[in-house]
Amino acid sequence: MTKNDRANFGSKIGAILAAAGSAVGLGNIWRFPFETGNHGGAAFILIYIGCVLALGIPIMMAEFLIGRRSRANTAGAYRQLSPGTQWKWVGRLGVLTGFLIYSFYSVVAGWTLEYILQAVSGGLNGQTAEGFINTFNSFVSSPWRPVVWSVLFVLMTHFIITRGVEKGIERSSKILMPMLFILLFVLACCSISLPNASEGIRFLLQPDFSKVNSKVLLGAMGQAFFSLSLGMGCLCTYASYFRNDTKLPRTAFNVALIDTLVAILAGFIIFPAAFSVGIRPDSGPSLLFITLPNVFQQAFGNIPLLALLLSLLFYVLLALAALTSTISLHEVSTAYMHEEFNLNRKKAATLVTIGCILLGMLCSLSLGVGSQFKLFGMTLFDLFDFVTAKIMLPVGGLFIALFAGWYLDKQIIWEEISNRGTLKVHIYRLLFIGLKYVAPISIILVFLDQFNVFG
Ligand code: TRP
């Protein structure tokens, strides 16, 4: 296929929105709060922000410039920029990582659909905090219901993917992101004003560094990669559709900023409410789904119609935020199969969809009927989350930083970052130091720390 056949994001703002649409999703609203809860709160958040600044932004720029320069899928990108070398394995690892993430992500995305239905049917009305916990647990462990929802979610993603890059992805991001942001803000205000919310706010704002250990560091780093969609060529694939005048540094800053703000807002929704009604902050992946119904119940219980409308709006927007992320995950594998194996886009997308449905089913079942089956002490669902976010993405990020910092011709980086000299770029030096030294060294140190190398 020639370069001209490839799609383009129509406008500059479209590029930012699509990348932000990929980044903002369940990672911010579902995963960030439960990781924060598991790792003790404020200190984790500060380390997370450090990871976004020191690792996230430089690596995002690296992915952008690799993608736009090569105008190819992530494996093809490395082949083009470094023909005949083994760097293509970085791209291939990314495709595999994305596929595994897609499988368990689609399960959680399916849960959002169930909660839309619950919101509409009033199933969440008038329950106690205990009741919400029971409802969630019996739902996720039932054999078929969550599976049906996740299959439906994958099929929705498939439908959008097969309609093409520009139309599907760009249109959906433009209106939904600002709406989501406003609603999150309103809900955070509601949550903060619940009785005894102050304990939750303290949990978010008062760091206790004595509890920081190697797990906290790995958790924060993994969360930064996961939430920013980094380390597997997702944003690299998107950047291959960017226009030549898209400003890469500015896009990277904006995406990181939006993504982090959404995550922190989600924290301000979850923790004040969780402490207020007595839900443990370390409840794990169920945290969002057992805490949020309480916010609606407590804040709007007297006005059932408002509670219904707001909860419906929230779950719909959450599902759509997840959808713009699954689209990006699906696109990585689809572009790879399409361009590397000469399959047409539809066939490529169909294969990815079938594979994901099968693996997603296993992940979903591992929370119920298959829960006795454990690998390394984890269910398949937890294992996929752990291996992808905490190992594969950081390893991918490490190699992306090394590739851009040490291997790529400096001229290429300069041209892409400055749009061939037409932009004034102040952060060029900083970017280089980040990619060459800061990112690789910190990723390696966090990994070494896992083995207790530092005592
Ligand atoms: N970042 C998305 C979220 O926060 C999930 C996601 C989409 C992702 N594409 C990715 C995670 C690529 C890692 C890599 O919900």
Side-chain angles (χ1 to χ4, degrees):
M1 107 186 262
T2 64
K3 287 188 177 179
N4 297 339
D5 291 339
R6 300 187 92 245
N8 251 310
F9 285 122
S11 61
K12 278 184 255 176
I13 184 83
I16 297 183
L17 281 173
S22 163
V24 174
L26 297 170
N28 310 59
I29 299 169
W30 161 73
R31 199 174 187 283
F32 176 79
F34 90 68
E35 282 286 286
T36 303
N38 280 346
H39 294 120
F44 174 87
I45 297 181
L46 288 178
I47 298 171
Y48 170 76
I49 292 174
C51 290
V52 170
L53 293 174
L55 309 174
I57 294 178
I59 294 178
M60 193 182 297
M61 281 194 233
E63 285 209 26
F64 281 169
L65 70 91
I66 293 168
R68 187 171 69 179
R69 183 67 175 204
S70 60
R71 298 234 172 265
N73 71 83
T74 176
Y78 292 93
R79 219 177 3 136
Q80 271 193 29
L81 297 177
S82 56
T85 66
Q86 297 304 318
W87 285 105
K88 57 178 182 279
W89 286 100
V90 179
R92 291 181 182 165
L93 173 77
V95 175
L96 177 68
T97 312
F99 184 69
L100 295 180
I101 293 178
Y102 187 23
S103 309
F104 78 87
Y105 197 94
S106 65
V107 174
V108 185
W111 299 349
T112 64
L113 299 182
E114 163 80 11
Y115 274 73
I116 292 177
L117 184 71
Q118 292 285 343
V120 181
S121 65
L124 299 171
N125 279 352
Q127 288 195 36
T128 57
E130 196 62 33
F132 290 131
I133 295 177
N134 292 336
T135 308
F136 176 82
N137 286 339
S138 67
F139 162 65
V140 288
S141 57
S142 80
W144 60 271
R145 226 180 142 97
V147 172
V148 173
W149 286 126
S150 83
V151 171
L152 193 67
F153 206 97
V154 176
L155 291 178
M156 274 166 30
T157 310
H158 178 86
F159 176 74
I160 295 178
I161 282 283
T162 47
R163 288 185 59 200
V165 181
E166 189 177 330
K167 277 175 285 172
I169 303 174
E170 201 179 330
R171 272 189 209 154
S172 39
S173 303
K174 266 187 188 161
I175 327 152
L176 302 170
M177 297 270 300
M179 268 174 78
L180 176 68
F181 201 81
I182 294 169
L183 183 67
L184 289 176
F185 189 77
V186 172
L187 291 178
C189 294
C190 296
S191 182
I192 290 173
S193 55
L194 292 179
N196 298 325
S198 55
E199 213 181 318
I201 298 174
R202 207 169 310 128
F203 184 76
L204 285 167
L205 297 179
Q206 227 171 53
D208 177 1
F209 285 103
S210 66
K211 296 217 180 79
V212 173
N213 55 24
S214 61
K215 275 196 180 139
V216 175
L217 294 178
L218 184 69
M221 180 169 84
Q223 176 60 23
F225 279 103
F226 191 93
S227 188
L228 295 170
S229 301
L230 285 182
M232 53 146 284
C234 189
L235 295 183
C236 171
T237 303
Y238 267 26
S240 73
Y241 308 119
F242 281 3
R243 298 188 338 177
N244 286 332
D245 59 354
T246 301
K247 297 173 183 155
L248 302 187
R250 178 178 295 185
T251 308
F253 278 114
N254 284 337
V255 172
L257 183 69
I258 296 170
D259 191 72
T260 308
L261 285 178
V262 171
I264 290 177
L265 266 184
F268 274 94
I269 299 174
I270 301 297
F271 291 106
F275 278 92
S276 169
V277 296
I279 287 174
R280 291 174 56 100
D282 57 355
S283 305
S286 63
L287 187 63
L288 170 74
F289 293 90
I290 59 179
T291 307
L292 211 86
N294 288 293
V295 179
F296 296 115
Q297 174 90 15
Q298 303 276 331
F300 309 104
N302 303 334
I303 326 166
L305 188 64
L306 188 62
L308 187 146
L309 284 179
L310 281 182
S311 56
L312 177 63
L313 186 63
F314 175 81
Y315 290 115
V316 168
L317 288 176
L318 182 63
L320 290 168
L323 187 63
T324 50
S325 300
T326 52
I327 290 169
S328 74
L329 287 164
H330 199 305
E331 177 63 24
V332 174
S333 305
T334 303
Y336 171 70
M337 306 268 275
H338 170 47
E339 294 178 11
E340 299 293 300
F341 297 102
N342 272 329
L343 292 170
N344 67 42
R345 255 187 85 86
K346 218 170 182 160
K347 261 200 197 126
T350 308
L351 284 177
V352 176
T353 297
I354 294 174
C356 170
I357 286 180
L358 293 177
L359 265 189
M361 262 181 197
L362 292 180
C363 285
S364 182
L365 292 175
S366 81
L367 295 173
V369 285
S371 59
Q372 305 88 337
F373 177 74
K374 292 204 166 140
L375 274 171
F376 306 106
M378 287 180 261
T379 62
L380 202 62
F381 180 94
D382 291 335
L383 184 72
F384 273 29
D385 178 272
F386 181 88
V387 170
T388 53
K390 296 187 183 171
I391 300 175
M392 294 172 90
L393 292 178
V395 168
L398 170 66
F399 283 109
I400 291 168
L402 292 176
F403 181 74
W406 293 92
Y407 178 86
L408 261 191
D409 190 350
K410 279 204 172 94
Q411 182 66 20
I412 294 185
I413 297 188
W414 168 249
E415 283 177 10
E416 288 301 321
I417 289 296
S418 69
N419 286 356
R420 298 183 191 263
T422 57
L423 291 180
K424 266 209 184 113
V425 184
H426 306 289
I427 44 83
Y428 185 66
R429 260 245 158 89
L430 219 55
L431 173 66
F432 244 103
I433 298 173
L435 289 176
K436 256 188 139 127
Y437 306 107
V438 180
I441 292 173
S442 11
I443 295 171
I444 290 172
L445 286 182
V446 174
F447 276 140
L448 286 180
D449 193 26
Q450 296 309 300
F451 303 109
N452 247 333
V453 178
F454 308 112

